[in-house]
Amino acid sequence: MSAPAYPPPYNPYASAVPGNMPPNMNMYDGRYVLPPPYTASPDYSRIHPSFPPADQGFSIPSQFLNEPLVANVAMQYGQALVGSGKQLVGQELEKYVPFSRIKYYFAVDTRYVTKKLGLLFFPFTHSDWSLRYEQDGPVQPRYEINAPDLYIPTMAYVTYVLVAGLVLGMQDRFTPEVLSIQASTALAWTVFEIIVELITMYITNIQTNLKTLDLIAYGGYKYVGIIFAVLLSILFHKTGYFIGLIYCSMSLIFFLVRTLKVQILPIGTSPSHHDPYMHNSGNKRRMYLLLFVAGIQPFLMWWLSFHLISPPVPKS
């Protein structure tokens, strides 16, 4: 049997012009084939086992990352990087919101809250209104009952909104929109009160130790009296409301006058204490400020609570 006939191998130069045939091509005897394509990255893994495969590129061996020394260095570097980032963010936020100062006003405990509520309701029995100081500022509220705090005003504001919702629900006037309006209105009046007090202090040029957060704390104590008056209105209607409102207003005025009097800058440190006329004028301005801050509280207490116990008359 004869061998099967195969077609001759393909020769790309078979149809070329004889004069254009490359030199020394006769040695291939018509069996020339094209060279393999160029490989950009040869696979050295066949030569040396330590090299990674060519299609995977360079990678760090996992055994290197599992070393305890390397892992500890990476962890310490990561912790240092995170710590520096938090410190930088904290410094930027501290410029706009004094978080370190706000923490002072929330440094309270159960004993302080109980005693401070008793002081707000019965300030007439308190005798020592002085405020103790440390090297870096006033003593924290948990150790000083006369120090202002923001915990009681904040909780009283939230409780005031909840009690308002309860009363409105008992009068069939509760809606989510009304409750949100109640909360936003109370907050707006608080901000307005603080702004008016700051402007008054700036115009009258009164130098005191009071800070903006102090004014917010003292202004927020009125919500305790509002809650008490509104709860009395549930049991005794308008009579109980007015009795509670009048008593809480008087106790709050007495509390604020005695407390804020201590917070004012001492007269002896005033730059004008050598001039008797300026000395007396400064005392009058400070007294007017005390009366203004304390006297505005009963009006705000009535304004924020009277509509809760007197529903509007329906239109005919």
Side-chain angles (χ1 to χ4, degrees), residues 105-122:
Y105 293 91
F106 286 92
V108 300
D109 53 10
T110 306
R111 180 175 174 271
Y112 167 82
V113 173
T114 304
K115 295 181 64 176
K116 195 58 172 282
L117 290 177
L119 180 60
L120 291 174
F121 282 106
F122 308 102

Side-chain angles (χ1 to χ4, degrees), residues 171-215:
Q171 300 174 2
D172 295 331
R173 294 191 296 156
F174 175 81
T175 59
E177 292 79 11
V178 172
L179 190 63
S180 62
I181 293 175
Q182 184 75 24
S184 59
T185 302
L187 184 60
W189 274 104
T190 301
V191 174
F192 176 75
E193 173 193 356
I194 302 304
I195 293 176
V196 171
E197 293 173 355
L198 292 176
I199 294 176
T200 303
M201 295 174 60
Y202 177 78
I203 294 177
T204 56
N205 193 22
I206 298 177
Q207 298 180 354
T208 66
N209 291 331
L210 293 174
K211 301 177 178 59
T212 303
L213 294 177
D214 294 336
L215 296 176

Side-chain angles (χ1 to χ4, degrees), residues 32 118 173 257 263 278 281 296 311:
Y32 173 76
R173 294 191 296 156
V257 170
Q263 293 287 348
M278 296 298 295
S281 178
I296 199 177

Side-chain angles (χ1 to χ4, degrees), residues 9-26:
Y10 173 72
N11 186 359
Y13 299 100
S15 59
V17 181
N20 296 332
M21 180 69 69
N24 299 327
M25 289 300 298
N26 295 329

Side-chain angles (χ1 to χ4, degrees), residues 229-277:
V230 173
L231 290 179
L232 284 181
S233 69
I234 298 177
L235 301 177
F236 306 104
H237 307 289
K238 286 188 177 182
T239 303
Y241 167 77
F242 282 110
I243 293 176
L245 182 65
I246 293 174
Y247 177 79
C248 292
S249 299
M250 294 176 58
S251 61
L252 184 60
I253 290 175
F254 185 86
F255 168 81
L256 290 178
V257 170
R258 297 301 300 269
T259 304
L260 294 177
K261 185 178 180 181
V262 180
Q263 293 287 348
I264 293 179
L265 190 67
I267 300 176
T269 61
S270 177
S272 60
H273 71 280
H274 298 289
D275 190 344
Y277 175 77

Side-chain angles (χ1 to χ4, degrees), residues 296-315:
I296 199 177
Q297 303 304 321
F299 171 76
L300 293 176
M301 293 173 64
W302 171 81
W303 181 259
L304 294 174
S305 59
F306 182 73
H307 64 281
L308 297 176
I309 54 98
S310 61
V313 179
K315 298 181 180 181

